[in-house]
Amino acid sequence: MARTLILMRHGKSAYPPGVDDHDRPLAPRGRREAALAGTWLRETQPAIDAVSCSDAVRTRETLAATGIDAPVVYEHSIYEATPHTLIELIQLTDDAIETLLLIGHSPGMPWTAWELAANRASLPAEELSRKFPTSALAVLEFDRPWSRADPGTGELVRFHVPR
């Protein structure tokens, strides 16, 4: 069974004075672009079975703005996570889940997409390597169980920046 992983960077955040990084909300542009990302996801992904989302305010608001209503787990470990940590989290995904949406931060999202991709010379990988802006999405496919989603085992099939 094929597995699909969607790595999404949170929407553009605001910088209100006196607010901790973890508690920063989305800016209006971030809400708009996250909504566009949600539209794109519904058009290109037949079903999202589960969401793992950082517990930061801006990632929670990003998920809400997408309108994706799959079961969600909020994970503090996604906040400021390294690719190693994110890959370990992905590997713990239940194999009954075919499509997983993971919403997090930079540099974790772009670095993890790059680590997992076997096809680094592809057009989607070239686009991803230039910039992974807010609300961007990397879609990878795996031909193995989640527990074996190791570096270099995924096919980066799409990279999308909703604007």
Side-chain angles (χ1 to χ4, degrees), residues 9-16 21 24-31 58 61-62 134:
R9 184 176 173 198
H10 64 76
K12 176 74 175 161
S13 58
Y15 293 88
D21 182 71
R24 286 191 294 122
L26 287 181
R29 180 180 124 197
R31 283 190 293 281
R58 62 190 176 275
E61 290 182 357
T62 296
T134 53

Side-chain angles (χ1 to χ4, degrees), residues 1 9 22 30 33 37 42 46 56 58 68-70 73 79-80 86 94 118 127 130 132 135 137 148 163:
M1 174 190 307
R9 184 176 173 198
H22 189 271
E33 291 173 355
R42 282 186 294 285
R58 62 190 176 275
I68 300 298
D69 62 356
V73 173
Y79 182 73
E80 297 184 343
L86 293 170
D94 186 318
E127 292 169 347
R130 278 188 250 138
F132 200 111
S135 295
L137 302 123
R148 292 185 21 229
R163 299 285 189 257

Side-chain angles (χ1 to χ4, degrees), residues 21-24 53-61 79 105:
D21 182 71
H22 189 271
D23 298 327
R24 286 191 294 122
C53 183
S54 164
D55 65 353
V57 170
R58 62 190 176 275
T59 51
R60 288 174 173 263
E61 290 182 357
Y79 182 73
H105 309 267

